[in-house]
Structure formats: structure tokens, C-alpha cells
């Protein structure tokens, strides 16, 4: 066990930050001995020697203590039996969790606590402070037991009563953050390498009297503790892994949301979610902590992370409900109508923000909705406030349910709103109210069985096809080949991946055609009538496209278009490229683009940039994912240069082969763009970066096959002097023959040295690069396990159909991952 502690301390010392993380475990996570041991396993697995652990009372302990108080106040003789039951449960929990020697001091302390409770009750003067004192023991018992269990496992832990540092005042309680922070820092300094197991739910006032933090007080304790301790993150562990798109007990198709924005989480909490509470989120918003929700019963079942930034797409993400809602109604005369907003703020300051409000000016009626738990307290406050509040006729109406959609700008999503209105109009509807902040759309109905309505809403919102707009850049040979392929594959793609595809825009060098209703492929191929398009203006209006997602497919070789990639990413447009210029851009631009892609969670796929349809980049990714270490990448990356050197045997001049290749359309319009090696250089940079190495293009040594005397000539003049290629290439061929090999144009990258080169090489006659079909590419990847026998990928590395197929494969992959 001592070794475990040393390893954990070393892990902590190696960390960049010594700020303590916070973990909170609720009552369901500490329900019995098995639960306590499971929690101890989780804490051990985190490897955090100085974590702050916040605990709730075990199981239903707090409920039993409240029952005890109510029985005592009513004079019921069952109070004594209830106290005995609490004592018996805690004894059994301690004895089944710890061995006899470890349990003894906790059992003695428990007996003393039970005596204290009995003494308080015998005084027959139960005020709010004494009631709070009795309710506080559940958290104290959990803290002691978990700290002892961790200690028995070699993890030094100390039970910390939050009343030692957490000072509050007022009603509802307000935290004295300055005092609490100072006290906590002193306590943490006393225990630099110890886990502190802190009581949730409880605090103390300036007189040392126990105060309770109210509903979900332990969750609030956790995020508040993190804020006071400047913790980097807080994890709340409960019996569920996080927030789902609907209650999974009611909607089987509900899915776990791995990310939820803080405003969305706050709105969900405001609407009565049992998973989150508004007060819990307050310290998250005012500090730098990251909040995560996880399940203590199944830690590997996923999680929900609460993020500060908005989700990238607007619309409903959650269907939530309250089964038992109460309407509080009042009449507000015309002269007091301007007080409604002030009254709402007055309730909010008292932590009684309504779930929904509806003003009916024609009846001078104001309706506000609460959970049953909140309604009594709100009604009582309003009743006392009524004489000066400017309202009258206060009443409660029971027997209602609430259903809501939650998500950024959901109230502005016409289709989702229409589904919601249609579904609720078929119910005994009281009213529908969109939230002012746009984060929720709330419906209140007479009490019904909610499951069919929730299922219908969930299916209509989340099972509908995702609408994806496609923007095509480049209507050349490859772009046209892809359009024909897209037309053939569209129906299968939509059916398999549950998407609705729309060809939203097509750009070429003359301009663009844009149509939100979609462009027909035949129109683009045969009757393309572009309008001039100013890029900055078009990009500014892009946010109004109306699709769930946008995907841009770049079939060009345009550097100008690549310079707009960051702007497209900022507009959350996914990118699929056959254009090599972004993946092989200078290092600064490339790294900024990568960072922007990560920040905006935008995908960039470029498998068509190297090897056309050959699985080169995907093979590299698979090797990395399998744990391989890439050592070298080499090969013949140019179909043009492959064809030239497979045919170049000295029987005819090299210049004649170049002319033949040009006449057959095997080269670029200007063959120098193939011969100078720059295209191969770009491919090598892309592959090295795909393999995880930051290779700057400037570090690649490129041997240009075009003499300097021909480099800057006009194309026609170049062809006139094409024979000047023959002497240097002939000499190179002679040297290859002298060495018993063949001449090939090879690209190489060595991970160990960082060296990269592109140029002519002599390879042995039996080498994998020696015998190819003219025009084929070949890629050799050497790894830790593929060292003596490298992984070789060979086949046609160019051609409009295979390149279009690679772009289509990337589109399929991207859509499948949305």
C-alpha cells in the first residue's frame, strides 16, 4: 500500500498543476457497503492523492432523520423506534464496510452522535438550527466512513466537516466566499498530500450554528468547494452517467449527451431536472472549473461534460418533463401590469424562479408554474406579499404536467416548434410558452400519461434525417465525375445514414449557383449558369443557410480557396478536400487551421489528396490506432513520374516520353508542374503530418528535374527546348545501370532524423519500387512491427473516377460521424 501512495504522489508531482480536483458522490452512490467499496475503487483509479471528495448522506439517511423530526414534533411514539432504526442502519454499514479494528472508533463516535440527537430532542425546543443540526449527521457519518475506508487501502484521507470553513448567512443562505476561501486554504495547507472527504449539504453561520444548503445542497457544495479551492474540474457521481436527450426510463431511444452547454444545463435545471440544479451550476459559471457528470455504478458508461461555449448547432437537444406541476394564479389589475417582471425577479432572488409564466391580459390573469415541491413555498411567499404586491385572487390549481424542449435558440427553429405545437395541441393544453432566452419551449397540459407524448416528441425531433447542405468547389473533370457518382449514390447514402442531402451550391472560376431548395445534378453538368459571387459577402450570409450541417467539397487546386478555409471553419462548415494545398501548407497556417478545427469541432477529411482512391491515409491512421510507431514513409507518389520512369529505358529520349505523356493527358497542362517534384513534396508532407509529425514543407529537400534554364520560360518556349532534359536524365540512367539498378522518382521521410527528400534514386531490380504498372503509385510504410517487411500499398494513384470515389468515401465517413 505504501507503494501505491508513492506512485500517486509522484503522479501528482509530475502534474502541471497542483490544484485539487473535486469529486462528489451522492446518497445513491453510498447506499451500502458495496457502494462504498466501489467509490473507493473509483477514487483509487483517479490517481489523485490530494483530491477533495464531497459526500452526501448514505442512501435515505437524511429522509429518515427528517421523518424522525416530524414524528417527534407531532408527539408520535414511533420517533424512538425511528432513531433506533437510524442507529442500527449506520452500525451495520460501518461493520460491513470495515474490519473490526477499523470500525471500532467509528462505532464509538456514532454512539456519541446518537446520544447528542437524543439530548437535543429531549429539550423539546426544536428551532431551525437544531433541526439543521440533526439533519447534518448523515453527511458527517458518510465522510468519516469513506475516509476510514480509503485509509485502510493505503490512501491517506481525512474527514472534513464543512462547517469548519464554509460560512453562510441570511435566508436563503448566502456564502461568505472570502472567509470560506481563507479557511479552506489553511485547511488544505495542513493536509498537502491527503484526500479530504468533505461533508456536503451543510455549513455554519458566524455563531457556529448549523445551516443547510437546501435542495441538492451536496451538489452545490461540490461546485462551491471547487470554486473556493480553484479546482480545475468537478465530477459529480450519481446513479446515472449524465444528461440524456430524454428520460431513458421512459424513452428507450434516449441517448446520452456527451456535451451540454452551461446555458442549456442551467435551463434544464430551471425546468426541474433531477440531474442538475440551478445552484449547482452557479459556481461553475463564476469559476474556471470544468463540470462532468458520471455514473458511480458503471464508470465506463460515458459521461456528460458541461461546457461554457454554445453548441455548434441550434435547436432542441432534450425533451424534459415534470409529471406533477402546480399552477399558481393571480389577478393583476391594469394599473399594476408593469409589476409582473419585478415580481418574477423577486421570486427568482428567493430561488423560486417559475418553470413557466403566462400572462393573459384579456383576463388580467397571470399564471406561473412550479413543481409540487416548490409550489407550497412560492404560494406562501406570495400570500404574505399580496397586500403590497399589486395582485389579488391568489390561488393554486393542481393536476398539471409540464413538457419542454431545451436547446440553444430552440424557439427560433420553425420545424421543431411546429412539431411541438402539433403534438401538444392534441392534448388537454393549458398554454405553450417560449422562454425569453430562447433556450426552451414549454407546454403545460392537464395531467396525462406522459410517455406517449415524450416518445412522439423525441422521435420527431431526434429521429428525423439530419439535413446536410453540400457545397461543391471546382466543376472540372474530377468535380464532374463526383457529381455523377453522387447522383448514383445519393439515395443509398440518405437511407443508410438517415440524412437528407441537398446540393446547396456549386462554385467554379466564373462564379456560383446557390439554391437552398437544392440544385439538380444535370443542371450543374449541362446548364451551369453562375452568378458572380463576392466571397466575404457570401461568407457573412452563410449562417442563414438553414441546414443542420454544411459540408464543402474542394476539387480545385486553388490556393485562394484554401486561404478561406479558416473562415469556413468558423462558420462550422466541414471540409473534404482533394486540394493538397491546405494539408501541405506552411507550418504556421497549418497549425492555426488544426487548432481552429478542434475549437469549432469541425471535420477536415483529405484522403483524396494522396493516392486518389488508395487507402494510404486511412492505413496510417489504423496503424497509429493499433499502437504502431511510424518510422519511415517512402514511395513513388506521382502517377506521371511513375509512367515516365517505367518507360524510360534509353531507347528513346526522355523528352519524347514527356511529350507523349502530355499528349495523352497524363501530365498537368504544363509538364513542369509534375517534373519539379512540388506535387510529390506536398503529398509527402501530408502523409508525415497524418502520421503525427510536424513536417514543415521547407524541410523537404526537392530535386527538380527541370533545369534552371527552362524553369521560367513560357510553356511554348519550354516545349521548343524540351530536348535539354535529355542529357542530365541520360547521365542519371547510365549511373543507375552501372549500379545494377533502375531509375525511379522516390519520396522519403525518416521519422527518427526528421529528414525528408524528393528526387531521383537508383533502386535494386528486385525492389518493390522497381516493377510497377506504368502510372501506378506505391507507398511503403515502415513501423516497429513492419520493419523487415514494410506495409506496401500499390495501385493507380490518379484518375478522375478513383479520386471522385475517394471524395465520396470521405463524405460517407463524415456523415456517419455527425
Amino acid at each position: 500500500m505504501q507503494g501505491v501512495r508513492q506512485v500517486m504522489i509522484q503522479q501528482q508531482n509530475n502534474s502541471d498543476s497542483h490544484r485539487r480536483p473535486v469529486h462528489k458522490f451522492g446518497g445513491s452512490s453510498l447506499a451500502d457497503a458495496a457502494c462504498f467499496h466501489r467509490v473507493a475503487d473509483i477514487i483509487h483509479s483517479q490517481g489523485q492523492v490530494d483530491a477533495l471528495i464531497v459526500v452526501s448522506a448514505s442512501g435515505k439517511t437524511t429522509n429518515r432523520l427528517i421523518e424522525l423530526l416530524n414524528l417527534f414534533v407531532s408527539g408520535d411514539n414511533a420517533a424512538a423506534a425511528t432513531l433506533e432504526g437510524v442507529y442500527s442502519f449506520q452500525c451495520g454499514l460501518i461493520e460491513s464496510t470495515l474490519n473490526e479494528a477499523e470500525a471500532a472508533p467509528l462505532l464509538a463516535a456514532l454512539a456519541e452522535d446518537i446520544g447528542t440527537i437524543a439530548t437535543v430532542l429531549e429539550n423539546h425546543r426544536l428551532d431551525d438550527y437544531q433541526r439543521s443540526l440533526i439533519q447534518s449527521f448523515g453527511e458527517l457519518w458518510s465522510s468519516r466512513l469513506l475516509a476510514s475506508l480509503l485509509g485502510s487501502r493505503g490512501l491517506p484521507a481525512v474527514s472534513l466537516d464543512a462547517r469548519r470553513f464554509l460560512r453562510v448567512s441570511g435566508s436563503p443562505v448566502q456564502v461568505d466566499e472570502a472567509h470560506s476561501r481563507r479557511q479552506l486554504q489553511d485547511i488544505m495547507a495542513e493536509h498537502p498530500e491527503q484526500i479530504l472527504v468533505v461533508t456536503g449539504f451543510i455549513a455554519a453561520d458566524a455563531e457556529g450554528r448549523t445551516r443547510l444548503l437546501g435542495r441538492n445542497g451536496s451538489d452545490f457544495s461540490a461546485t462551491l468547494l471547487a470554486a473556493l479551492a480553484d479546482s480545475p474540474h468537478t465530477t459529480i457521481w450519481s446513479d446515472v452517467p449524465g444528461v440524456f436527450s430524454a428520460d431513458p426510463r421512459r424513452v428507450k431511444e434516449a441517448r446520452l449527451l456527451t456535451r451540454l452547454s452551461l446555458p442549456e444545463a442551467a435551463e434544464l435545471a430551471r425546468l426541474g431536472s433531477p440531474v442538475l440544479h440551478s445552484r449547482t451550476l452557479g459556481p461553475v459559471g463564476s469559476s474556471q472549473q470544468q463540470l462532468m457528470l458520471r455514473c458511480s455504478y458503471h464508470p465506463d458508461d460515458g459521461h456528460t461534460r458541461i461546457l461554457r461555449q454554445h453548441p455548434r448547432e441550434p435547436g432542441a437537444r432534450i425533451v424534459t418533463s415534470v409529471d406533477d406541476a402546480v399552477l399558481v394564479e393571480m389577478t393583476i389589475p391594469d394599473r399594476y401590469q408593469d409589476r409582473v417582471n419585478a415580481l418574477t425577479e423577486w421570486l427568482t432572488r428567493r430561488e423560486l424562479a417559475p418553470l413557466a409564466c403566462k400572462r393573459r391580459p384579456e383576463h388580467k390573469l397571470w399564471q406561473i408554474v412550479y413543481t409540487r415541491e416548490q409550489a407550497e413555498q412560492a404560494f406562501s411567499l406570495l400570500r404574505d406579499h399580496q397586500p403590497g404586491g399589486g395582485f389579488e385572487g391568489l390561488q393554486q390549481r393542481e393536476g398539471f404536467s409540464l413538457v419542454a424542449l431545451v436547446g440553444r435558440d430552440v424557439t427560433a427553429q420553425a420545424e421543431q416548434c411546429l412539431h411541438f405545437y402539433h403534438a401538444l395541441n392534441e392534448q388537454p393544453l393549458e398554454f405553450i410558452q417560449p422562454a425569453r432566452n430562447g433556450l426552451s419551449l414549454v407546454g403545460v397540459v392537464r395531467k396525462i400519461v406522459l410517455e406517449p407524448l415524450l416518445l412522439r416528441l423525441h422521435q420527431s425531433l431526434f429521429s428525423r434525417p439530419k439535413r446536410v447542405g453540400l457545397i461543391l468547389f471546382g466543376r472540372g473533370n474530377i468535380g464532374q465525375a463526383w457529381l455523377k457518382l453522387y447522383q448514383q449514390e445519393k439515395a443509398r447514402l440518405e437511407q443508410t445514414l438517415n440524412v437528407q442531402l441537398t446540393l446547396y451550391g456549386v462554385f467554379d472560376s466564373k462564379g456560383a449557383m446557390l439554391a437552398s431548395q437544392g440544385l439538380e445534378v444535370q443542371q450543374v453538368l449541362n446548364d451551369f449558369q453562375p452568378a458572380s459571387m463576392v466571397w466575404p459577402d457570401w461568407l457573412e450570409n452563410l449562417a442563414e443557410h438553414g441546414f443542420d450541417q454544411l459540408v464543402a467539397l474542394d476539387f480545385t487546386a486553388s490556393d485562394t480557396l484554401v486561404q478561406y478555409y479558416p473562415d469556413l471553419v468558423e462558420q462550422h462548415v466541414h471540409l473534404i478536400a482533394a486540394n493538397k494545398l491546405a494539408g501541405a501548407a506552411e507550418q504556421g497556417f497549418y497549425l492555426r487551421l488544426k487548432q481552429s478545427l478542434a475549437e469549432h469541432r469541425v471535420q477536415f477529411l483529405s484522403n483524396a489528396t494522396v493516392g486518389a482512391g488508395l487507402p494510404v491515409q486511412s492505413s496510417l491512421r489504423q496503424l497509429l490506432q493499433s499502437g504502431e510507431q511510424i518510422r519511415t514513409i517512402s514511395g513513388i507518389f506521382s502517377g506521371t513520374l511513375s509512367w515516365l520512369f517505367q518507360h524510360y529505358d534509353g531507347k528513346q529520349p526522355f523528352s519524347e516520353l514527356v511529350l507523349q505523356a502530355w499528349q495523352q493527358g497524363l501530365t498537368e497542362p504544363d509538364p513542369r508542374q509534375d517534373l519539379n517534384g512540388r506535387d510529390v513534396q506536398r503529398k509527402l508532407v501530408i502523409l508525415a503530418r497524418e502520421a503525427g509529425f510536424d513536417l514543415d514543407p521547407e524541410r523537404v529537400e526537392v530535386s527538380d528535374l527541370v533545369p534552371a534554364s527552362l524553369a521560367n520560360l513560357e510553356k511554348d518556349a519550354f516545349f521548343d527546348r524540351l530536348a535539354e532534359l535529355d542529357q542530365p536524365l541520360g547521365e542519371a540512367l547510365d549511373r543507375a545501370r552501372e549500379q545494377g539498378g533502375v531509375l525511379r522518382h522516390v519520396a522519403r521521410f525518416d521519422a527518427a532524423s526528421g529528414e525528408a527528400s524528393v528526387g531521383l534514386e537508383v533502386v535494386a531490380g528486385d525492389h518493390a519500387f522497381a516493377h510497377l504498372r506504368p502510372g501506378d503509385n506505391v507507398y511503403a510504410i515502415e513501423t516497429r512491427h513492419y520493419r523487415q517487411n514494410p506495409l506496401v500499398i500499390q495501385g493507380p494513384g490518379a484518375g478522375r473516377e478513383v479520386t471522385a470515389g475517394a471524395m465520396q468515401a470521405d463524405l460517407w465517413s463524415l456523415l456517419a460521424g455527425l
Side-chain angles (χ1 to χ4, degrees), residues 19 21-22 223 226 230-236 260 283-285 287-293 304-309:
R19 296 182 298 161
V22 174
T223 56
D230 295 321
S231 297
H233 62 262
T234 301
T235 304
I236 294 179
L260 192 66
V284 178
S287 66
Q288 295 301 310
Q289 64 182 292
Q290 298 293 317
L291 178 61
M292 184 185 294
L293 311 178
T304 297
R305 190 182 298 276
I306 308 299
L307 304 174
R308 284 175 172 76
Q309 66 265 34

Side-chain angles (χ1 to χ4, degrees), residues 763-805:
V763 301
D766 58 354
H767 195 280
F769 299 168
H771 299 288
L772 305 177
R773 292 182 59 182
D776 272 7
N777 282 188
V778 61
Y779 301 85
I781 304 169
E782 181 184 310
T783 71
R784 181 176 54 183
H785 295 116
Y786 290 87
R787 183 164 189 145
Q788 300 301 324
N789 189 17
L791 174 65
V792 176
I793 301 168
Q794 180 180 334
R800 66 186 69 177
E801 284 78 17
V802 289
T803 305

Side-chain angles (χ1 to χ4, degrees), residues 526-654:
N526 304 319
D527 188 25
F528 189 66
Q529 298 177 7
S532 62
M533 188 65 61
V534 180
W535 265 83
D537 294 344
W538 176 73
L539 283 171
E540 288 177 5
N541 297 325
L542 192 60
E544 308 299 324
H545 57 74
F547 297 98
D548 295 322
Q549 302 279 351
L550 271 184
V551 179
L553 298 102
D554 181 4
F555 291 92
T556 75
S558 168
D559 183 58
T560 302
L561 177 56
V562 166
Q563 297 306 311
Y564 282 109
Y565 275 16
D567 299 307
L568 290 167
V569 171
E570 287 186 7
Q571 295 285 356
H572 301 285
V573 179
H574 301 287
L575 300 169
I576 299 175
N579 188 336
K580 305 176 187 66
L581 298 177
E586 61 89 14
Q587 192 78 343
F589 178 87
Y590 176 74
L591 294 177
R592 288 192 298 274
L593 178 61
K594 278 185 63 177
Q595 182 178 354
S596 183
L597 289 164
E599 288 175 352
H600 293 88
R601 301 203 301 276
V602 168
Q603 297 189 55
F604 175 34
L605 283 73
S606 58
N607 286 298
T609 57
V610 180
L614 295 177
V616 184
Q617 295 184 59
S618 58
S619 297
L620 278 171
R621 284 192 294 272
Q622 186 173 342
L623 288 170
L624 291 172
Q625 291 164 3
S626 70
E628 286 284 4
Q629 297 174 357
I630 308 298
R631 295 189 171 180
T632 67
I633 301 170
S634 60
I636 296 172
F637 295 179
S638 167
T640 301
L641 293 169
S642 170
W643 188 92
L644 288 170
F645 286 100
Q646 287 293 331
H647 284 95
Y648 186 43
D649 55 8
K651 294 179 181 178
Q652 58 181 323
F654 187 77

Side-chain angles (χ1 to χ4, degrees), residues 318-585:
I318 303 163
V319 180
T320 189
S321 62
V322 174
D323 280 293
D324 197 7
V326 177
L327 273 180
V328 177
E329 297 181 337
M330 64 202 77
T331 302
I332 301 181
D334 290 339
R335 66 182 183 278
Y336 292 125
Q337 285 292 319
D338 59 348
R339 294 190 181 183
V340 170
N341 291 340
L343 192 56
T344 304
E345 293 173 2
W346 180 81
L347 288 165
T348 302
R349 287 196 300 271
R350 286 154 179 78
E351 297 183 8
L352 287 168
L355 305 184
C357 305
K358 181 66 175 180
R359 296 176 66 175
R360 299 184 185 274
E362 69 277 12
H363 301 299
K364 301 180 177 59
L365 183 67
W366 189 43
Q367 297 174 298
I368 54 179
V369 186
Y370 286 106
T371 63
R372 177 174 290 277
E373 181 182 1
Q374 294 174 301
E376 289 295 333
Q377 187 179 358
F379 187 82
S380 177
L381 276 173
L382 287 166
R383 185 182 55 211
D384 295 341
H385 188 62
Q386 185 168 339
F391 59 89
E392 55 196 35
L394 184 68
Q395 64 172 330
Q396 288 188 77
R397 293 173 58 199
E398 299 184 353
F400 293 89
S401 297
L402 177 148
V403 178
L405 306 182
V406 177
R408 179 171 75 91
D409 292 336
V410 62
T411 57
Q413 306 306 304
E415 183 179 347
Q416 293 184 343
C417 290
L418 186 63
H419 279 299
F420 189 76
Y421 278 83
H422 278 320
L424 266 73
N425 273 326
E426 297 175 5
Q427 309 298 330
L429 180 65
E430 184 71 18
F431 66 80
I432 293 176
Q433 187 67 28
R436 288 184 179 180
N437 57 16
L439 286 166
S440 66
L441 187 62
V442 180
V444 178
V445 298
R446 304 283 172 82
K447 198 165 185 179
I448 58 172
V449 177
L450 286 176
E451 279 77 3
L453 176 59
L454 296 175
L455 180 60
R456 177 180 172 182
L457 285 171
H458 191 273
Q459 287 178 338
S460 67
L461 293 169
F462 303 115
S463 298
R464 68 169 178 81
K466 190 175 287 290
R467 295 163 303 179
V468 180
L470 304 178
I471 308 171
L472 173 70
F473 293 100
R475 211 175 54 89
N477 290 335
I478 300 174
Q480 292 186 37
W482 176 81
L483 282 166
K484 295 173 184 176
L485 180 60
Y486 164 73
Q487 189 176 34
Q488 296 170 11
E489 294 292 314
K490 180 175 181 287
R492 186 167 72 99
L493 196 61
E494 290 180 324
Q495 182 177 1
T496 304
L497 300 180
N498 192 32
V499 295
Q500 178 183 329
L501 299 176
T502 300
L503 187 58
Y504 172 47
V506 177
F507 285 74
D508 72 1
S509 58
K510 298 177 182 177
M513 291 180 68
L514 290 169
S516 58
Q517 75 274 14
L519 298 167
E520 293 295 329
V521 169
Q522 290 305 317
Q523 178 187 13
V524 175
L525 289 173
N526 304 319
D527 188 25
F528 189 66
Q529 298 177 7
S532 62
M533 188 65 61
V534 180
W535 265 83
D537 294 344
W538 176 73
L539 283 171
E540 288 177 5
N541 297 325
L542 192 60
E544 308 299 324
H545 57 74
F547 297 98
D548 295 322
Q549 302 279 351
L550 271 184
V551 179
L553 298 102
D554 181 4
F555 291 92
T556 75
S558 168
D559 183 58
T560 302
L561 177 56
V562 166
Q563 297 306 311
Y564 282 109
Y565 275 16
D567 299 307
L568 290 167
V569 171
E570 287 186 7
Q571 295 285 356
H572 301 285
V573 179
H574 301 287
L575 300 169
I576 299 175
N579 188 336
K580 305 176 187 66
L581 298 177

Side-chain angles (χ1 to χ4, degrees), residues 702-765:
V702 180
S703 297
D704 193 339
L705 301 185
V706 180
S709 59
L710 303 182
N712 298 316
L713 297 177
E714 294 293 330
K715 187 170 71 171
D716 290 343
F718 166 70
F719 276 109
D720 290 340
R721 296 172 58 181
L722 195 59
E724 293 181 28
L725 295 174
D726 294 336
Q727 181 181 347
L729 268 299
E731 293 172 354
L733 181 62
D734 290 340
R735 288 194 296 271
R737 286 173 170 169
E738 290 173 3
Q739 298 175 34
V742 294
L743 196 60
R744 296 292 180 262
H745 190 274
V746 178
R748 291 189 183 277
F749 170 71
D750 186 288
S753 65
E755 294 179 356
S757 62
V758 171
L760 290 179
E761 287 189 11
V762 178
V763 301

Side-chain angles (χ1 to χ4, degrees), residues 195-206:
I195 295 171
L196 299 181
V197 185
V198 186
T199 56
F201 182 54
I202 61 177
D205 61 18

